[in-house]
Amino acid sequence: MANSISGDSIRVIHPLFQAEEGGSVPTSPLQLTISETSGKIAKKLNMLWHSRLPRFNSGASLYYVAFYHGIYYAVAIWSNPVARLLPQDTWLELRRLAIASDAPKYTASRMIAVMTRLIRHKMPQITTLISYQDT
């Protein structure tokens, strides 16, 4: 799992010739590995890639990244719903989803599908996942 983060681990210069396993750059979101990560890594990646809300300061409970060959391509941050009238024990809200500009097409859809399954397995008490999209 990609756990460390530094300037050169986020993006590397792509080699002239493709490496084994189809190359060093993913061409499909199916090639990405999606797993939990730390808040520190998630917040730093969100800062790099989120166009409108790069900062995230408050109480998230789950952080996910999508990576390929040790290079990050997407990050997601989940928390209890911001609206206090929504169920806090059984719902989660996708607070941030940030995708690198060179991520494969449909990375967001793939990541949401995989995270849904991972959350269902890890937190069976969660009945509803919500998300809001900004233009």
Side-chain angles (χ1 to χ4, degrees):
M1 178 168 43
N3 277 335
S4 64
I5 189 165
S6 65
D8 54 355
S9 68
I10 295 171
R11 290 286 173 268
V12 297
I13 298 173
H14 300 294
L16 180 61
F17 299 103
Q18 286 192 342
E20 300 165 5
E21 300 175 358
S24 61
V25 179
T27 56
S28 164
L30 297 174
Q31 294 173 282
L32 299 172
T33 300
I34 298 161
S35 66
E36 280 191 68
T37 192
S38 71
K40 181 179 178 183
I41 290 172
K43 290 174 185 179
K44 185 162 185 175
L45 293 173
N46 185 72
M47 188 93 128
L48 290 171
W49 298 328
H50 203 284
S51 59
R52 287 206 6 103
L53 299 168
R55 296 200 185 278
F56 186 89
N57 297 324
S58 61
S61 55
L62 286 174
Y63 306 93
Y64 288 97
V65 289
F67 61 94
Y68 180 75
H69 286 235
I71 299 172
Y72 297 105
Y73 287 91
V75 62
I77 300 173
W78 294 85
S79 74
N80 291 338
V82 174
R84 296 176 203 261
L85 296 178
L86 294 177
Q88 299 293 307
D89 295 334
T90 58
W91 288 28
L92 283 179
E93 179 178 333
L94 179 59
R95 297 286 304 282
R96 300 286 191 280
L97 179 61
I99 311 291
S101 61
D102 59 343
K105 191 173 183 178
Y106 307 119
T107 292
S109 296
R110 167 80 174 149
M111 195 165 179
I112 289 170
V114 171
M115 289 187 300
T116 299
R117 290 190 297 273
L118 292 172
I119 291 169
R120 185 179 299 133
H121 178 74
K122 178 179 178 149
M123 305 174 80
Q125 75 277 14
I126 300 298
T127 62
T128 306
L129 299 174
I130 58 173
S131 175
Y132 303 96
Q133 182 175 343
D134 193 5
T135 55

